[in-house]
Each structure stands twice: as structure tokens, then as C-alpha cells.
Amino acid sequence: MNMEEQILSLMRELSYKPMAAAELQRALHIQEGEQEAFLALLQRMEENGQVVRTRTHRYGVPERMNLLVGRLQMKQRGYGFVIPDRPGIPDLYVSSGDLGGAMHGDRVVARIQQRHGERAEGEVIRILERALHTVVGTFQSMRYYAFVRPDDRRIPVDVFIAPDDFGGANDGDKVVVEITVYPERATSCQGRVIEVLGRPGDPGVDVLAVVRKYELPEEFPDDVMAESERVPETVQIEDLVGRRDLRDRAMVTIDGEDAKDLDDAVSLERLPNGNWLLGVHIADVSYYVKEGSALDEEAFRRGCSVYLVDRVIPMLPPRLSNGICSLNPRVDRLAMTCDMEWTPDLRRVHHEIYPSVIRTRERMTYTAVRRILEEDPELAARYEPLVPMFRHMRDLAMALRKRRLARGAVDFHFDETKVILDESGKPVDIVRKPQTVAEQIIEEFMLAANETVAEHFQRLEVPFLYRVHEDPDPEKIEGFKEFIWNLGYVLRTKGGRAEPRALQEILEQVRGKPEERVVNTILLRSMRQARYSHEGLGHFGLAAEFYTHFTSPIRRYPDLVIHRVIREWLREGGLPPTKEAHWRAEMPRIADQSSERERVAIDAERESQDLKKVEFMLDKVGETFEGIVSGVTSFGLFVELENSVEGLVHISYLTDDYYRFDDRQFALIGERTGRNFRIGDRVKVLVAGADKEERTIDFRLVEESGEGQAEDAEAGAAVFRPAAGSGGRSRRKKKVAGAASAAVGRAGARKSAGSGRSRARDLVLVGEAVTPGKKKKKDGGAKKAKAKGKKGRRRG
């Protein structure tokens, strides 16, 4: 046990009382020559929030002193929540007046002031680490000074700009500001313009603003590029030492049409004993990216590749990601192979993990494989030698999928949404891409490999990284249970806990019904966020005891690290004590960094999609569309169109009656007519407006007034058109307190950190097997309630 652990262990003892530094030295038997190092360590631990020093200069751990250390997550209305560093501790609500100058993302120490049941409230007493160093926003000139209004509405303060710090910006420009003075109780936020991005309507400025907002690194440092240039473009003879030669094995990559970084290949063959040998072959990136190198440090900093609507910001330079590490067809490539032998009744009876050299036969696309399996004669003839393998892959993948669902895995149903841009970056279409059998083949095979690798090394007790998904909060499950009860479904729980199998049964019951999407979405929001951990805690959504991310080292840093550990273990037949100690110390840090960078990537990807969706609707003002009520609130209805765009019908547009919000039925009910609006009702709406700056879309309900005619509902009487049944679907942003979210929130007090994440398949379930570039992107459209606080009864 090192000195840091000894200090924390002592302070967590029940008998411990806060001690001064000198008392701690005596209690821990610090020698005279070690005192200076001890005091320096104590100071570092205080700066990191591991220990707290009182006004009387005595030390203790925060949890024993009614304090909490964590990240501040702000909300648009000015309040926030402190998300504790230590998992399992409830979040702390902080009102706008108790922020103490803290801003969104800051790591803080907060004092717990009072509790209301499970909900705790408090105030920020110390800022440990500032998260924001730059702000992206709109420059507003006041002649002799200026303000920058942040694009991120979670930053509730404008940034003051002195005349000497304008940086050439003009009124209305989109700019990047460096914060020079942080807000305190008596001072405002101040900064200087360091980059003018352009006018808000100029091509590319909107997505560039997203890149700057999330501080995504577009360019690689010179030393990283220089190091990548030294990597050979082809496999060398010396690279083959210690590798199994699989170049004669028939294998292919299967990816999207526009994918360039191909990091997984698959093979399948029948063995003489009648079993199936499934091979998952992953690019051996760790062979080229050495620990501690400039490439490695940059990959750690980035954490993962980011797939924005109009560009990719890769984790590794293109020379590696699209070149020597990409499993391009008909060329030699280095790989890490996981072979799995499956019996016809789907028992995995043998597996091997080893370094290999491979040569893929073809670079297949999901579309091509789907068409082959649908008996397209032209493609079947073109790829005739591979067609039997594709058919066997389909059969094995569907059997694995059936087995996984039978054990209780929760299978969400969300179609991928893709915004199509023209050459200037303007959105010209939004299309849904349902998951086909081809995607499911890769999904199931990657899941199988990830589980196999995780189980192998967890049983060996090797220091490792795992992808974990903990059980949902019982209170949120109770909220979900209440919500679906209003739709006519019953969830079986035991002691407030729902088994994955029970949740999957609900999803199967709603499949194909109007309420399918909303039930999927609200269940997703009731679950915890998947994360990386050095502990193998299992994966609730996959109903898997063992799970990791092994299959995407080009795009995800955890996969790269796992490959590195596997290589060292295979080379030595185990880890030497020094290496084992090294990895045990490193894994928690890598897990935290990887989880944080993943969240940043998902937020940026979602926001770039939202921007383009609003822009797509700008020239649709005045047009009418069919949609489904996806959310009901006290201030109106959210309606989602078939193209996944979502907008708000404000309650002021419902002019035929007084409407009250019933939070038990999740409905707006007319007091005179009894007409009601519920989630899942089918309606026709007119696009009344779209604001790209605010990212809002306004709808009005319309009704049929004759053949081929429609009239604005504001002038009509009957404005609603319910579907058969009362179900529906929702894909709302987490910032909107919709009716279904209210169901979860009422039982759970509030959403937990990250519970409104944008990509369902990235969060907990099937998409856990898929790399970031292949995962679907769930998008809530662009919307915002313009009438904040207008709750209760309203009449237009």
C-alpha cells in the first residue's frame, strides 16, 4: 500500500477525527527525511479533492465531512448538479445562487446543505479544476465594449470583451473567446477573441463552431505526424515473427459505403467435427502505436474518433487509420485474431487469441451483403466464391442473436438517421437507415469476440479495461414502470429491480405498435450510462457477465490499450510483476479519460446533426407534414416527423379550448371538449418557423378541410387526430421535461448524468459491439420550449 492509499485508509476509519499535518505524520510514522515529500503529497491530494483541509488546517476525506467532490453539470435554466467522482453516490442539486462562480464541467467541492428524501441540495464551496478555457458564441458589439453570447446555453453568463480584445470581430460574427477572468461572486466573466469563425450563415461555420466548442483537435501535432511518417506503408518481413499466418483463410471486411478505416474482418468455416470456427480479426494497431510515444499520447488525449455530420476527426493520423492499420483488401495486414469454435447448439467449446497476419479477400459493404442474402443474381455472381460463407454467417449470427435475447439482453429498436449534405455543406435530405441482416452479422460477431476476450482475461485476473453497464436505478425503473402502466403494459420487478429479460419482454410487446419508439426511448433514459472501468462489473443491457471493447483499436483508445496488454501477456506467458503493477495503476486513469472523451464525442456528433436538421427545415416553413406526438408537456406538444425532425406545437396554438396537463396520463386534456393529446397520436403539422441559432422548430397543428386542402389549426376548431391506441414514440433532447421523462423524473427526482445521451446503440446495448463510425446516431431533432415557465392552464 503506497502512502496515498495509507492516508485515505486512515481517514476513512470510523474512529478517525480530522488531524493536522503534524498529527498525520505521527500517526503514519513519517520519518524526518520524508516530511517534505509527505507534505507535498498532502497538498496534491487536497488540490485533487481527495482530501479536504478545514479552516483549522485539519484534514479529512470529503465524504466524512458532509462534502462532495465531482463534476458540475449545468442546465439551461441556470441550476446544476454535481456528479460525484465516486460511483454509487446520488447527484447533488445546486441552485443558480449557490454555484460560487463555477461553470459547466468544472470539478468542484460542494457542501451538502439539506436532503429531501433521496435528493440532496448543496452549494459549491471550492473549484478544483476549470473545464472551460474557451467559449464559442456570437459577438455582440456595444461600440466601446462587447459581449459574446455563448452558443452553449449551459453557460448562463455572457463574456465581457474589452475594446483591445475584439480581435477583429464585427457585430454578429461567430467567434472563439479565451476566458481571461472567471466569474466569481463579485466579478463577471471576461475574455478576449482569439478566432473569428465567420458569419453564422457562411458555409461550414456552424459545424466549425461545434468543433471549437468541444475543443476537438482538428490537426495532429508535428511530432505526431513525424512519427506516423516513420511507420512503413506495407508489412515487413520482420513484422511476421511470432505471428500465425492466416493469409489463406477466406475472410472479408463488411462496413458502410463511406468507411475508410477498416479495423475488423470476419471469417467462418465448418470444421471436420461439424462445429463452426468463427474468426474475428482486428487490426493490430498496438504493434505500430507504442506506449508512451507521441502517437500514443495524442490517441489518449483524443480518446476516440469523432464522426460529425460533415467530417471525421480521427484518433490516429490517416497514414495509420486509412493506411497500414486499415484491413484493406488483397494486401497483407497485421491483426489480433480471436477464433471461437461453436457447436451447432451454440456452445463455445474452444477459443484462441493470438497475433496474426491476414489478407482479406474483399472489402464488402452492408448493402452488398444484404442484397446477396436477398438473392441478388448480379452480386451473387460477382462474389460467387464467398456467397456460401455469407449465408452461413447469417445463420450463425441470427442464432447467436436469438440466444442472446433469450438470456435477457435488451434489444432497442432505433433506425439510424443520416443527414445528406451537398458540396457546400447544405442539408438536402434526411434519411432513415434501418438495421439489416448485414449489420446484424457484424454486430453479433463483434459481441461474441468482446465477450470472449473479456472472459478470458478476467478469469486470468489480468489488469484490463472493461465496458460495464450497471443495473438501472430502482427509482427510475419505477418511473418507467408507471409510464408504461398508463399505456397498458405491466413490468415485472422484484424489490424495485427489473431483470433484463423482463425489460426485453416489454420491448417485444410494443414492437410494431405506435408506442414502440417512445417506450424504447424512455426505457433507454431509465438506464445508467455505460462506461469504461478497470473492474469487470458485467453488462446489464447485454445480460453479459463479461464484456470489453476489443474490436475497434483504430477508433477507440480502450481497445488499443487492451491489445497492448494482450500482446505483453502472450509474449511473456503472463505479465511480469513490474508490468502488472504498472497496468493496475494505469487502468483507472485510462478508463476515466476514455469515458469522458466518449461523452464529448457523442455530444458533438449529436449537436452537429441537430444543426443540420434545423437548417434542413428552414426552407420548409409553410409546408405541412405528417407526424407523431412524441412528447406532451405543460407548455405544448412535441411532434416528430417521419424524417426524425422534431418540433414544438406551443400550447398557445391550441385555441379551441383550455388545455390542462395531466402528468398522470401524460396528456393535454381540453376542459370543455374533453379532447386530448397523448404520446403516439398521429397529427398533421405546419412548419411555422425554424431558428438555427436557437436550434428550435415551431409547428402548428392543421386539420383537413376538404380534398387536398388543409387549414391552419389556429383558425379551426378540431385540431387533433389521434391514432388508434394511445401509444407513441419519443426522441427528445434531455433538456426538455416531456411527459414521459417526467414519469421517470417523478420517481427518480431527476435524470442522472448523461441519461439523455444521443445514441441509443452507443449507450448500452447491441451497438456496444459496433465501432463509433458504425454505430447509429439517435437524434432528438432540434427544439426548445420558448415559453419557459409557462406551465399549467393556458389559452391561446
Side-chain angles (χ1 to χ4, degrees), residues 86-383:
R86 297 183 67 189
I89 301 176
D91 303 341
L92 180 71
Y93 171 82
V94 182
S95 68
S96 58
D98 292 324
L99 294 172
M103 301 175 71
H104 176 70
D106 288 350
R107 191 159 174 269
V108 301
V109 178
R111 177 180 290 113
I112 302 172
Q113 295 177 320
Q114 55 185 323
R115 295 185 182 274
H116 301 283
E118 290 296 318
R119 174 174 172 175
E121 298 183 9
E123 64 171 337
V124 173
I125 62 170
R126 183 178 175 188
I127 300 168
L128 298 172
E129 178 187 348
R130 290 289 188 178
L132 293 173
H133 304 289
T134 60
V135 171
V136 177
T138 303
F139 188 84
Q140 298 176 326
S141 176
M142 304 293 177
R143 191 172 181 183
Y144 297 116
Y145 60 92
F147 287 98
V148 170
R149 183 190 183 199
D151 286 352
D152 191 340
R153 299 297 183 251
R154 294 171 300 183
I155 305 174
V157 295
D158 293 345
V159 183
F160 174 82
I161 309 295
D164 293 340
D165 296 324
F166 282 13
N170 296 310
D171 188 53
D173 282 349
K174 190 70 69 176
V175 300
V176 181
V177 173
E178 179 186 38
I179 298 176
T180 56
V181 178
Y182 286 94
E184 300 291 347
R185 287 179 171 82
T187 60
S188 61
C189 188
Q190 301 177 36
R192 63 184 184 90
V193 175
I194 59 173
E195 184 179 7
V196 179
L197 302 179
R199 306 299 295 179
D202 292 345
V205 169
D206 50 359
V207 180
L208 183 59
V210 173
V211 172
R212 296 291 187 268
K213 172 182 173 180
Y214 290 97
E215 299 183 355
L216 302 176
E218 286 188 290
E219 303 295 331
F220 286 93
D222 291 342
D223 60 338
V224 174
M225 293 302 295
E227 196 168 277
S228 71
E229 290 297 324
R230 292 194 291 271
V231 175
E233 294 183 333
T234 59
V235 173
Q236 307 297 304
I237 294 296
E238 58 269 23
D239 301 335
L240 306 184
V241 176
R243 293 183 179 275
R244 197 173 302 183
D245 192 341
L246 303 183
R247 285 175 287 189
D248 290 336
R249 190 188 292 193
M251 63 180 69
V252 298
T253 59
I254 308 176
D255 292 271
E257 279 79 358
D258 55 353
K260 296 180 181 178
D261 45 358
L262 316 178
D263 49 13
D264 57 85
V266 289
S267 62
L268 184 65
E269 56 188 86
R270 177 81 78 171
L271 298 175
N273 62 5
N275 292 345
W276 289 107
L277 179 64
L278 169 62
V280 174
H281 317 275
I282 308 301
D284 194 354
V285 182
S286 67
Y287 182 80
Y288 298 105
V289 181
K290 306 298 184 183
E291 183 183 5
S293 65
L295 279 166
D296 181 51
E297 293 296 333
E298 183 67 14
F300 173 79
R301 187 168 72 89
R302 294 181 177 225
C304 61
S305 297
V306 184
Y307 295 81
L308 302 179
V309 69
D310 67 344
R311 70 194 73 184
V312 176
I313 299 177
M315 184 180 79
L316 297 171
R319 182 179 173 88
L320 275 74
S321 61
N322 299 349
I324 188 64
C325 292
S326 183
L327 306 184
N328 300 327
R330 295 174 290 280
V331 294
D332 291 352
R333 288 292 184 260
L334 305 183
M336 190 69 74
T337 289
C338 176
D339 277 340
M340 294 158 282
E341 183 179 343
W342 299 90
T343 63
D345 61 350
L346 293 183
R347 287 181 296 112
R348 193 188 69 214
V349 293
H350 180 69
H351 70 271
E352 279 190 282
I353 304 164
Y354 56 88
S356 60
V357 56
I358 65 172
R359 183 182 295 157
T360 61
R361 300 286 175 87
E362 295 287 349
R363 186 259 196 254
M364 303 298 299
T365 66
Y366 293 126
T367 301
V369 172
R370 174 183 59 80
R371 288 171 57 189
I372 289 171
L373 294 175
E374 291 174 352
E375 307 299 333
D376 182 298
E378 181 181 346
L379 283 175
R382 178 179 174 185
Y383 298 108

Side-chain angles (χ1 to χ4, degrees), residues 373 416 788:
L373 294 175
E416 180 180 356
K788 294 181 180 178

